[in-house]
């Protein structure tokens, strides 16, 4: 196909700027600076991630075929991405055949508008919500509020975040950055009719939330959910959760609206078998999540009588068009990569500025929303990793996040054109491309000994290298490089001696 | 065996002791160690910072230098550089290089080993006859652990060192925060990771923190030096090359 066809854009659109939450306001290092200063946050997150990590290792270790399951999950997802259009059409037809309505949303703005219209048509100005990343990504609650519709999160942690006028900082445990006493304060401040003597033990806190939510479940006629999986064959949707609040939303109201990212498709019912093992073990460290809800269209006289499915693109086709980067769409949002990431552990989720934090966020966010120009906070995300690889090891569908990060760095650098860094890298590449040039450069490096002085170490460097010396010394370069030692009498003598020692030892 | 030593750019320039130790150790084990002088850098820094085309001349130079068929194996005292040779050279060659470079890269990659892998897997030795009467803790470095899967090979080697007091490092497999240019671009996060690593080293009471990668040791050592800690860093190769007649001070 030619690059320009009938005036259609040659590359699918990214998520539009200013809509939803796929772009923060600060670059990662700046945002991280603020978060790193919050010792309480670091303690809360460190404690929580360590606990989940240990649980996950325990339950994945129990399965003799864990690696095969990961391979199967990865293969199914890769197949889905390869034939996504076909599967989506099949899925759409199946949902309609079972009495559902299907809407296609190109981006956050369209999805928000569709949902608003659907809610307004019911006459309700309140909705209850099942925890959903897709609706957070598009900023649905905030949009509904501008339209006079109040959305109540029913997942306990989401509720804490919502009542705290805060943003989630973790995919699975959005209030991971809060501890019990902070939660108690939020409840006391924000919940109507809460017992002023509320304690801060989990049972008391859950009790207060239960009382608050029960009323909402019984009186709200519209629910909005996301979906963990959509099955192309049957048109079935699935939500997995721990508390049962989601199931209340999925069964009690008259109208159910589901917003699902188009990448969440599985070809057949049988494929669920793989993912219902991979997901709970990877995310909460449980063998099985307590509630798995599935629904297919509408069933007369039982459950919601009107069902709408909004299929969300919002940059997913753009990610799909990138042969290498599309692997990120395989993500099942288990958050295992967050829980093992040393960077996430120190900075928390807010530093990433997106609904998707942590390692997967660092690759997914720039793919969905782009990383335009040097001032775009998203352009710093691919560099927000030490490439330690813990995320790749933990990922249940084996997404090679470090390689994707390196790939995005490459794309970023290509976009950026000539910069001070690119000039330095080019010079380094030139200097290291032959040993003649390299040995000359090594002589220059030897000058570092003069900088180091008598202390034998360098403790201050000019920008941009001052970040290193803010907390770390650099030893003075040695008098002799290895190669000059190798060519020296001393080197030859040492090797001769080692040879003799070897012979003697035989 | 005729073994070519890949000293790595940082090893050659800044940390020659690790390369020396590797050469002496392999020589003592009876191998014919050579140092092809054409070598420079594996190109990892370029790839990881986003400059893939800039890595091409370095990948080509590596393949040229070590392509020599008289060389049976290439050994480097660096998990991350060997990781780059094994996982990145191919990508760079396929994208920017010629078909013949792709072929060369495959051949050379197949005979490139990190030191502990080479000793345990290829030479089948876990006791190299070393002597090191000190309290040591070992940081396994991310690329050795996850890119190369060296597992506990370095520990197998260390356990057989005579008179060593090997102590386990708490949370050993968490990253030290180096990550190449990450340490500069995200200096504060990197430092926060380093602080925890150093605290764990201090908790062991070890005199030496060892690892199989000079760059990680430069990071850890740089932080320990700033804090004026008594403990020092030392490359795995230096411990393995220590013998009673030449005890490391
Ligand atoms: S990238 Fe993998 S580990 Fe991370 S959230 Fe997605 S599926 Fe889970």
């Amino acid at each position: 196909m030619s690059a320009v066809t009938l005036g259609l854009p040659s590359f699918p659109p990214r998520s539009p700027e200013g809509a939803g939450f796929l772009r923060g306001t600060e670059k990662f290092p700046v945002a991280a600076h603020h978060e790193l200063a919050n010792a309480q946050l670091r303690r809360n997150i460190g404690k929580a991630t360590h606990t989940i990590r240990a649980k996950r290792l325990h339950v994945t270790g129990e399965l003799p075929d864990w690696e095969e399951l990961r391979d199967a999950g990865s293969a199914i997802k890769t197949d889905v991405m390869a034939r996504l259009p076909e599967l989506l059409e099949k899925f759409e037809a199946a949902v309609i055949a079972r009495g559902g309505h299907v809407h296609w949303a190109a981006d956050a703005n369209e999805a928000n508008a569709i949902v608003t219209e659907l809610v307004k048509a019911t006459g309700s100005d309140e909705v209850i919500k099942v925890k959903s990343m897709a609706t957070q990504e598009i900023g649905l609650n905030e949009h509904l509020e501008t339209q006079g519709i109040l959305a109540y999160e029913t997942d306990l942690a989401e509720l804490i975040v919502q009542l705290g006028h805060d943003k989630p900082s973790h995919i699975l445990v959005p209030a991971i950055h809060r501890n019990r006493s902070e939660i108690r304060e939020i409840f006391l401040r924000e919940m109507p009719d809460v017992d002023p003597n509320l304690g801060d033990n989990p049972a008391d806190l859950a009790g207060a939330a239960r009382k608050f939510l029960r009323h909402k479940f019984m009186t709200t006629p519209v629910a909005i959910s996301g979906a963990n999986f959509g099955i192309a064959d049957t048109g079935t949707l699935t939500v997995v959760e721990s508390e049962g609040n989601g199931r209340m939303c999925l069964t009690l109201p008259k109208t159910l609206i589901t917003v699902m990212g188009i990448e969440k498709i599985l070809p057949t019912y049988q494929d669920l078998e793989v993912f219902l093992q991979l997901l709970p073990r990877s995310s909460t460290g449980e063998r099985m999540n307590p509630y798995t809800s599935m629904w297919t269209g509408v069933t007369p006289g039982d459950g919601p009588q009107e069902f709408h499915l909004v299929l969300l693109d919002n940059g997913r086709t753009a990610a799909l068009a990138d042969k290498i980067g599309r692997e990120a769409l395989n993500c099942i949002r288990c958050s295992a990569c967050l829980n093992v990431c040393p960077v996430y552990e120190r900075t928390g989720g807010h530093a990433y500025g997106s609904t998707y934090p942590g390692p997967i966020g660092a690759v997914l966010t720039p793919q969905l929303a782009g990383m335009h120009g040097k001032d775009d906070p998203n352009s710093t995300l691919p560099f927000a990793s030490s490439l330690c690889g813990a995320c790749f090891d933990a990922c249940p569908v084996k997404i090679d996040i470090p390689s994707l990060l390196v790939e995005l760095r490459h794309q970023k650098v290509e976009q950026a054109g000539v910069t001070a860094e690119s000039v330095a890298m080019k010079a380094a590449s030139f200097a290291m491309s032959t040993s003649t040039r390299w040995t000359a450069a090594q002589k220059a490096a030897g000058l570092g000994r003069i900088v180091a002085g008598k202390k034998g170490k360098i403790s201050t460097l000019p920008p941009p290298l001052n970040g290193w010396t803010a907390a770390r010394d650099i030893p003075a370069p040695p008098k002799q490089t290895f190669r000059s030692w190798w060519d020296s009498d001393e080197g030859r003598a040492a090797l001769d001696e080692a040879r003799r020692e070897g012979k003697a030892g035989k | 065996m005729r073994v070519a030593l890949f000293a790595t750019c940082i090893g050659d320039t800044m940390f020659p002791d690790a390369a020396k130790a590797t050469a002496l150790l392999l020589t003592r084990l009876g191998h014919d160690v050579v140092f092809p002088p054409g070598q420079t850098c594996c190109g990892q820094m370029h790839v990881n910072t986003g400059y893939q085309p800039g890595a091409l001349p370095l990948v080509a130079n590596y393949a040229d230098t070590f392509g020599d068929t008289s060389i049976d194996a290439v050994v480097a005292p660096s998990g991350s550089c060997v990781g780059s040779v094994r996982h990145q050279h191919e990508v760079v060659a396929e994208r920017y290089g010629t078909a013949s470079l792709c072929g060369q890269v495959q051949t050379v990659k197949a005979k490139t080993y990190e030191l502990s892998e080479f000793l345990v897997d290829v030479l089948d030795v876990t006791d190299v006859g070393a002597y090191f009467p000190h309290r040591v803790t070992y940081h396994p470095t991310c690329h050795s652990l996850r890119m190369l899967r060296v597992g506990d090979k370095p520990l197998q080697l260390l356990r057989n060192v005579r008179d060593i007091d090997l102590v386990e490092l708490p949370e050993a497999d968490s990253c030290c925060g180096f990550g190449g240019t990450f340490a500069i671009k995200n200096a504060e996060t990197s430092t926060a990771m380093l602080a925890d690593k150093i605290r764990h080293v201090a908790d062991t009471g070890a005199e030496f923190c060892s690892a199989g990668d000079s760059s990680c040791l430069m990071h850890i050592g740089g932080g320990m030096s700033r804090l004026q800690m008594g403990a020092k860093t030392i490359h795995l190769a230096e411990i393995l090359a220590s013998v009673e007649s030449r005890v490391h001070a």
Side-chain angles (χ1 to χ4, degrees), chain A residues 171 282 328 330-338 359-360 391 394-399 401:
Chain A
I171 292 179
S282 305
N330 292 1
C331 173
I332 58 172
R333 314 279 189 265
C334 73
S335 71
C337 58
L338 276 63
I360 187 61
C391 49
C395 178
V397 288
K398 293 195 170 175
I399 300 174
I401 297 176

Side-chain angles (χ1 to χ4, degrees), chain A residues 402-434:
Chain A
S403 295
L404 294 182
L405 286 165
V406 166
E407 195 54 36
L408 284 176
R409 290 177 183 188
H410 168 60
Q411 288 176 15
K412 180 67 222 154
V413 161
E414 298 276 283
Q415 258 180 34
V418 180
T419 61
E421 185 187 89
S422 77
V423 171
M425 284 290 179
K426 207 166 181 174
S429 169
F430 180 77
M432 297 196 288
S433 58
T434 71

Side-chain angles (χ1 to χ4, degrees), chain A residues 241-291:
Chain A
E241 44 141 359
S242 299
E243 296 165 359
N245 292 341
R247 177 165 295 175
M248 301 287 266
C249 298
L250 295 166
T251 48
L252 288 174
K254 287 211 268 302
T255 302
L256 172 61
I257 303 166
T258 297
V259 182
M260 178 181 118
I262 53 171
E263 82 284 15
K264 297 253 159 186
I265 292 276
L266 294 180
T268 71
Y269 223 95
Q270 214 185 346
D271 298 320
L272 265 182
E273 176 227 358
V274 173
F275 293 94
L276 292 184
Q277 295 185 72
L278 287 175
L279 183 53
R281 282 189 157 83
S282 305
S283 59
T284 49
E286 293 166 303
R287 297 184 183 92
M288 187 77 230
N289 49 287
Y291 295 87

Side-chain angles (χ1 to χ4, degrees), chain A residues 33 393 421 432 472-473, chain B residues 40 51 149 185 188 190 225:
Chain A
H33 169 80
D393 265 14
E421 185 187 89
M432 297 196 288
R472 292 156 285 212
D473 293 332
Chain B
T40 60
Y51 296 84
R149 306 265 170 218
K185 286 183 197 269
E188 288 176 278
S190 163
S225 155

